[in-house]
């Protein structure tokens, strides 16, 4: 595969605060790559550097073999779908999409042909004369995509494009975006904080935290072989335990020795062990490798999520069978359900569900804040209100 | 039930404003119209209106002697000075508003204060200040002489009147444009740049059309008072440029209330028509552009 963008040792700080800390990343032709991380991890800044809206303090931005660090956005063969769309409120749907073509003085009939083609692609044919402020969020989203694609850029940058949509619409748009990417063959660089979205759409996922890249890989790799406790915790749910690697394919944790499939560690090397909640089998207490007491049960539709106390460490386990609080159950963990990771700076910070309820509250608060932010921006949209920079 | 009471409360709270608006806006306007269409015995007449369009006087500028339509000439002169002042205000005010809107918050506040400070001073005092500056032996010429430059004769010229108008009404141009610009979403500018527009193009295709509402209210707020001003022309123009405002004042002082009202009424109608046309033009431009 051909490299289309190379970021080399990019560093960027705002007001003395380091936002990107020596980031290097290769982006290949035709791929759907997602920058994933919690807010403040530097993913949007990375995107803005590719788009030309920020200049890195140091490092190089190579686009198809050329250093474009000092090339202004309007000269880059890259287009962006902005967070909350940033459609031009004074122009109708047709003119929004035609915006870049008019700048290039493309002949009128060709503009008409291309815009129509794009509006067909995003299923908005017949909306040409509509004012963009009269459209729903999902429709505005489509206009933004059509507007960015009409120029046939080599790379399309998408900055949390689905964040303002409701769940159902978001799912539909995920599929649609993926289809558009396949149909056009354009490289998509997608920024999101939603791990599910990242896993379901991407060819490559780049997990970021605190201005650094934690892991680059396919969604399956990222989920099954997280490199450290941060990635394991951020992508899906994980029980992360302190363990010791006894020898190849043998690890001890939770007071027991388990067979596993991991190799290449030093003898008696301290490690982090990841066990996914869905990979644990529940058996009667006397037949389990581990034994614990159920401390809470949450019904989630498809399955129950139960918290099990095993010698003071709280495990999360997903099961389709009902187990009541205070029941003692046994756990069986198959070798391929165990993933061993090197110790990292994130060791011990994640993966214990003893404070699970607190954590849930925190997540809830973040979402409420985000919603408020979205509403605020959405409310300003029609009067093109100035929001944060 | 609930809705009814709340709407009653709403109406009650609005009462003072309604009373105010009726007493000080509607009633005076009705009086202006009433006086404009009546004679001194308050019988209906259109004489005052016709007089505005037909009255003539003889002008002798030393070379030729001509007969002209007095008030139409005065009106055109007022219009010319007002339009020139408005254009100058717009040309100076638009870039300033843009720079202010993009400046750091602290700078914005300082600039805003600087623009507003002159408005805290009395209008007459401001105009007198300009008299002392622009006089033949005034501050400006003193300054020029000190720099060994040739003194200029400004006072009593159209330029002096325009300077006075621009100075007085400049804030009314800057502030509405600034408030629209400050609300402009930065991401729209980024989007334009992303879609291939270099700076001047962003200005022409995004910033300008989106700031038109501010420009319109700025133009209105400068054009209307400068077309009807009378004091500035008297003081800075040495009374040589008789404007429509001077005409109204003159008729009023001469106790010719009915004709003064007629001139005011005609001026009002012309301005309203102009504003409506401008608004319409702007709306159409917005949709097509």
């Amino acid at each position: 595969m051909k490299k289309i963008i190379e970021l080399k040792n990019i560093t960027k700080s705002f007001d003395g605060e380091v936002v990107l800390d020596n980031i290097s990343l290769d982006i290949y032709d035709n791929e759907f790559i997602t920058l994933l991380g919690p807010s403040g991890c530097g993913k949007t800044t990375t995107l803005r550097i590719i788009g030309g809206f920020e200049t890195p303090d140091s490092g190089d931005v190579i686009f198809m073999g050329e250093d474009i660090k000092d090339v202004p956005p309007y000269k880059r063969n890259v287009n962006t779908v902005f967070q909350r769309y940033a459609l031009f409120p004074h122009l109708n749907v047709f003119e929004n999409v035609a915006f870049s073509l008019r700048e290039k003085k493309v002949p009128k009939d060709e503009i008409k042909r291309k815009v129509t083609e794009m509006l067909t692609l995003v299923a908005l044919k017949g909306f040409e004369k509509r004012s963009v402020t009269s459209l729903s969020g999902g429709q505005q989203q489509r206009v933004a995509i059509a507007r960015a694609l009409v120029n046939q850029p080599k790379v399309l940058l998408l900055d949390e494009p689905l964040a303002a949509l409701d769940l159902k619409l978001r799912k539909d748009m995920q599929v649609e975006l993926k289809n558009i990417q396949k149909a056009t063959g354009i490289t998509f660089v997608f920024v999101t904080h939603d791990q599910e979205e990242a896993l379901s759409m991407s060819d490559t996922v780049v997990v970021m935290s605190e201005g650094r890249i934690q892991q680059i890989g396919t969604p399956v790799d990222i989920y099954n072989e997280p490199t450290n406790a941060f990635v394991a915790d951020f992508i899906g749910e994980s029980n992360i335990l302190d363990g010791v690697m006894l020898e190849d394919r043998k690890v001890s944790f939770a007071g027991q020795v388990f067979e596993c499939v991991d190799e290449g560690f030093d003898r008696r090397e301290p490690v982090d062990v990841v066990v996914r909640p869905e990979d644990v089998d529940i058996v009667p207490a006397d037949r389990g490798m581990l034994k614990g007491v159920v401390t809470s049960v949450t019904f989630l539709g498809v399955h129950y999520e139960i918290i099990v106390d095993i010698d003071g460490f709280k495990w999360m386990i997903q099961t389709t069978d009902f187990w009541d609080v205070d029941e003692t159950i046994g756990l069986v963990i198959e070798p391929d359900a165990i993933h061993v990771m090197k110790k990292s700076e994130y060791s011990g910070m994640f993966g214990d569900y003893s404070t699970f309820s607190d954590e849930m509250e925190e997540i809830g608060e973040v979402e409420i804040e985000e919603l408020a932010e979205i509403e605020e921006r959405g409310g300003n949209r029609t009067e093109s209100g100035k929001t944060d920079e | 039930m609930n809705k009814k009471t709340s709407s009653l409360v709403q109406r009650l709270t609005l009462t003072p404003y309604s009373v105010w608006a009726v007493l000080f806006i509607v009633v005076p306007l009705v009086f202006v119209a009433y006086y404009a269409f009546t004679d001194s015995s308050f019988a209906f007449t259109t004489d005052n209106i016709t007089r505005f369009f037909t009255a003539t006087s003889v002008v002798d500028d030393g070379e030729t002697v001509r007969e002209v339509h007095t008030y139409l000439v005065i009106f055109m002169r007022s219009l010319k000075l007002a339009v020139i002042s408005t254009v100058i205000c717009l040309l100076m005010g638009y870039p300033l508003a843009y720079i202010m809107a993009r400046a750091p918050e602290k700078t914005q506040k300082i600039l805003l204060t600087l623009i507003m400070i002159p408005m805290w001073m009395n209008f007459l005092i401001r105009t007198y200040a300009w008299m002392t500056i622009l006089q033949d032996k005034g501050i400006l010429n003193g300054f020029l002489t000190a720099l060994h430059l040739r003194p200029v004769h400004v006072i009593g010229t159209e330029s002096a009147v325009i300077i006075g108008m621009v100075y007085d009404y400049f804030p009314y141009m800057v502030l509405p444009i600034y408030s629209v610009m400050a609300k402009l979403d930065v991401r729209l500018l980024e989007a334009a740049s992303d879609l291939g527009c270099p700076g001047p193009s962003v200005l022409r295709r995004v910033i300008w059309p989106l700031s038109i509402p501010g420009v319109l209210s700025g133009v209105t707020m400068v054009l209307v008072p400068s077309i009807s001003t009378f004091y500035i022309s008297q003081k800075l123009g040495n009374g040589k440029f008789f404007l429509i405002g001077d005409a109204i004042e003159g008729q009023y002082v001469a106790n010719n209330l009915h004709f003064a009202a007629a001139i005011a009424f005609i001026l009002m109608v012309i301005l309203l028509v102009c504003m409506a046309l401008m608004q319409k033009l702007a709306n159409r431009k917005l949709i097509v552009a």
Side-chain angles (χ1 to χ4, degrees):
Chain A
M1 272 206 291
K2 206 172 82 200
K3 271 186 207 171
I4 191 155
I5 294 174
E6 292 168 69
L7 301 181
K8 288 186 177 166
N9 308 101
I10 302 280
T11 302
K12 175 80 185 172
S13 35
F14 291 115
D15 302 325
E17 200 177 317
V18 178
V19 180
L20 289 180
D21 184 4
N22 203 14
I23 291 253
S24 293
L25 175 65
D26 293 340
I27 296 170
Y28 294 89
D29 209 3
N30 278 350
E31 82 174 328
F32 195 123
I33 185 167
T34 299
L35 308 181
L36 171 67
S39 61
C41 73
K43 55 191 192 301
T44 295
T45 307
T46 309
L47 198 77
R48 290 174 61 81
I49 284 174
I50 300 174
F53 304 111
E54 306 285 354
T55 316
D57 299 339
S58 65
D60 293 320
V61 184
I62 315 285
F63 182 76
M64 298 175 78
E66 253 176 90
D67 189 349
I68 57 161
K69 199 171 51 188
D70 300 315
V71 175
Y74 67 89
K75 285 188 182 161
R76 297 190 182 196
N77 196 0
V78 165
N79 285 117
T80 308
V81 175
F82 289 84
Q83 220 170 3
R84 334 292 173 214
Y85 330 128
L87 298 178
F88 302 117
H90 59 299
L91 302 176
N92 63 21
V93 170
F94 184 95
E95 287 304 325
N96 260 281
V97 178
F99 194 85
S100 58
L101 302 176
R102 292 231 189 276
E103 189 65 29
K104 288 202 293 189
K105 306 248 182 323
V106 174
K108 267 200 176 127
D109 44 341
E110 204 183 327
I111 290 183
K112 192 157 170 39
R113 188 178 58 74
K114 285 191 169 175
V115 171
T116 311
E117 191 185 318
M118 278 304 129
L119 288 178
T120 313
L121 180 73
V122 298
L124 274 183
K125 215 158 168 276
F127 282 72
E128 286 84 352
K129 294 266 177 289
R130 289 277 290 274
S131 145
V132 291
T133 46
S134 73
L135 301 182
S136 71
Q139 290 166 336
Q140 295 194 20
Q141 175 65 77
R142 290 156 196 270
V143 177
I145 293 166
R147 183 179 72 173
L149 282 175
V150 75
N151 226 348
Q152 289 162 312
K154 292 302 289 179
V155 176
L156 185 70
L157 309 175
L158 302 106
D159 186 6
E160 303 245 12
L162 308 181
L165 304 180
D166 61 56
L167 186 68
K168 179 89 176 57
L169 199 53
R170 196 155 68 211
K171 297 268 183 215
D172 293 345
M173 282 305 291
Q174 285 174 9
V175 176
E176 213 164 312
L177 269 180
K178 184 73 194 166
N179 289 341
I180 290 174
Q181 194 261 332
K182 277 187 193 146
T184 55
I186 293 171
T187 304
F188 276 34
V189 184
F190 189 93
V191 159
T192 184
H193 63 272
D194 183 334
Q195 42 111 357
E196 216 177 296
E197 198 165 279
L199 293 182
S200 67
M201 301 171 78
S202 322
D203 299 319
T204 307
V205 177
V206 180
V207 185
M208 296 179 70
S209 166
E210 295 171 332
R212 281 181 306 245
I213 292 177
Q214 303 295 331
Q215 188 170 3
I216 303 176
T218 65
V220 175
D221 284 348
I222 298 268
Y223 189 82
N224 288 342
E225 314 276 329
T227 50
N228 62 35
F230 175 83
V231 178
D233 181 76
F234 193 73
I235 314 291
E237 299 290 350
S238 300
N239 300 293
I240 305 173
L241 298 103
D242 279 329
V244 175
M245 204 67 188
L246 301 175
E247 57 187 76
D248 278 356
R249 295 187 295 281
K250 198 157 273 183
V251 63
S252 114
F253 60 91
Q256 302 283 332
V257 177
F258 293 83
E259 272 181 52
C260 63
V261 294
D262 299 84
E263 307 179 343
F265 291 86
D266 293 338
R267 281 178 69 89
R268 305 211 61 78
E269 180 178 340
V271 291
D272 285 336
V273 178
V274 181
V275 180
R276 295 287 187 185
E278 70 275 18
D279 290 343
V280 179
D281 296 324
I282 299 179
V283 293
D286 52 335
R287 281 197 273 143
M289 300 154 111
L290 294 170
K291 206 162 65 173
V293 181
V294 178
T295 61
S296 85
V297 180
T298 314
F299 178 61
L300 290 177
V302 180
H303 58 256
Y304 294 95
E305 205 164 75
I306 63 176
I307 303 293
V308 182
D309 186 330
I310 300 173
D311 298 331
F313 190 91
K314 301 270 173 78
W315 291 59
M316 178 199 272
I317 292 161
Q318 289 163 359
T319 168
T320 49
D321 300 322
F322 177 75
W323 301 92
D324 210 349
V325 174
D326 290 336
E327 265 187 274
T328 303
I329 57 173
L331 307 183
V332 170
I333 304 167
E334 300 290 337
D336 63 358
I338 294 169
H339 172 62
V340 180
M341 308 181 299
K342 292 241 183 238
K343 283 279 179 194
S344 70
E345 60 185 304
Y346 298 105
S347 296
M349 287 166 65
F350 305 105
D352 173 8
Y353 288 91
S354 54
T355 53
F356 190 47
S357 55
D358 296 348
E359 197 179 322
M360 283 304 268
E361 266 166 30
E362 227 170 83
I363 290 166
E365 269 166 35
V366 170
E367 271 171 7
I368 287 164
E369 265 169 41
E370 262 170 22
L371 272 181
E373 197 192 347
I374 288 164
E375 261 162 31
E376 188 188 307
R377 294 190 192 204
N380 279 343
R381 191 173 50 234
T382 44
E383 34 179 293
S384 59
K386 185 180 175 182
T387 50
D388 58 337
E389 271 114 281
Chain B
M1 189 75 181
N2 208 347
K3 202 177 168 196
K4 225 171 185 178
T5 42
S6 82
S7 82
L8 184 70
V9 169
Q10 268 176 6
R11 238 178 292 161
L12 276 177
T13 49
L14 280 175
T15 309
Y17 304 103
S18 318
V19 171
W20 175 275
V22 169
L23 268 184
F24 295 100
I25 300 174
V26 179
V27 172
L29 284 177
V30 170
F31 265 91
V32 169
Y34 178 64
Y35 270 76
F37 286 98
T38 51
D39 59 21
S40 50
S41 55
F42 293 100
F44 175 80
T45 174
T46 52
D47 284 356
N48 295 319
I49 306 291
T50 11
R51 184 175 161 197
F52 178 88
F53 293 101
T54 53
T56 56
S57 49
V58 174
V59 180
D60 180 356
D61 60 6
E63 288 170 19
T64 50
V65 179
R66 288 173 298 148
E67 199 182 21
V68 293
H69 287 286
T70 318
Y71 294 102
L72 294 183
V73 167
I74 294 172
F75 175 76
M76 290 316 285
R77 185 188 294 139
S78 297
L79 185 67
K80 183 182 95 182
L81 291 184
V83 167
I84 292 173
S85 308
T86 307
V87 168
I88 293 174
C89 279
L90 181 61
L91 288 180
M92 293 188 345
Y94 194 85
L96 178 64
Y98 178 77
I99 292 165
M100 267 169 65
R102 294 281 158 269
E105 207 161 318
K106 216 171 166 186
T107 322
Q108 285 191 27
K109 276 190 186 141
I110 294 172
L111 283 171
L112 262 181
T113 317
L114 285 177
I115 288 171
M116 298 220 287
I117 283 177
M119 295 169 74
W120 301 344
M121 269 184 292
N122 183 285
F123 172 70
L124 301 181
I125 295 173
R126 271 183 281 168
T127 310
Y128 268 104
W130 274 107
M131 275 175 72
T132 54
I133 294 172
L134 297 180
Q135 269 163 8
D136 285 342
K137 297 210 179 309
I139 296 170
L140 175 68
N141 279 331
F143 191 66
L144 288 177
T145 332
L147 289 172
H148 302 291
L149 292 168
R150 241 171 27 144
V152 287
H153 173 66
V154 186
I155 198 91
T157 65
E158 282 190 351
S159 308
V161 179
I162 290 169
I163 289 174
M165 286 187 187
V166 168
Y167 182 80
D168 273 326
Y169 303 126
F170 185 62
Y172 300 102
M173 180 65 84
V174 178
L175 296 180
I177 300 178
Y178 163 74
S179 74
V180 169
M181 292 251 196
K183 276 196 284 172
L184 209 76
D185 191 338
V186 200
R187 278 171 306 145
L188 291 178
L189 313 187
E190 285 183 353
S193 178
D194 186 73
L195 293 165
C197 290
S201 236
V202 178
L203 179 66
R204 186 175 55 83
R205 299 188 61 197
V206 179
I207 300 175
W208 171 254
L210 287 176
S211 61
I212 282 179
V215 171
L216 274 188
S217 61
V219 165
T220 311
M221 287 169 80
V222 173
L223 189 67
V224 172
S226 54
I227 209 170
S228 55
T229 183
F230 59 95
Y231 194 76
I232 297 173
S233 60
Q234 284 174 10
K235 292 299 163 198
L236 298 177
N238 285 352
K240 277 193 277 179
F241 306 97
F242 200 70
L243 301 183
I244 201 80
D246 299 309
I248 298 171
E249 195 220 7
Q251 295 297 330
Y252 185 82
V253 171
N255 212 13
N256 206 346
L257 296 185
H258 297 274
F259 187 51
I263 303 174
F265 183 79
I266 291 165
L267 184 62
M268 217 154 59
V269 169
I270 293 173
L271 283 174
L272 279 175
V273 170
C274 287
M275 294 304 143
L277 280 179
M278 246 161 59
Q279 196 73 48
K280 199 150 207 173
L281 215 74
N283 282 345
R284 181 166 325 153
K285 191 118 193 273
L286 276 182
I287 294 160
V288 175

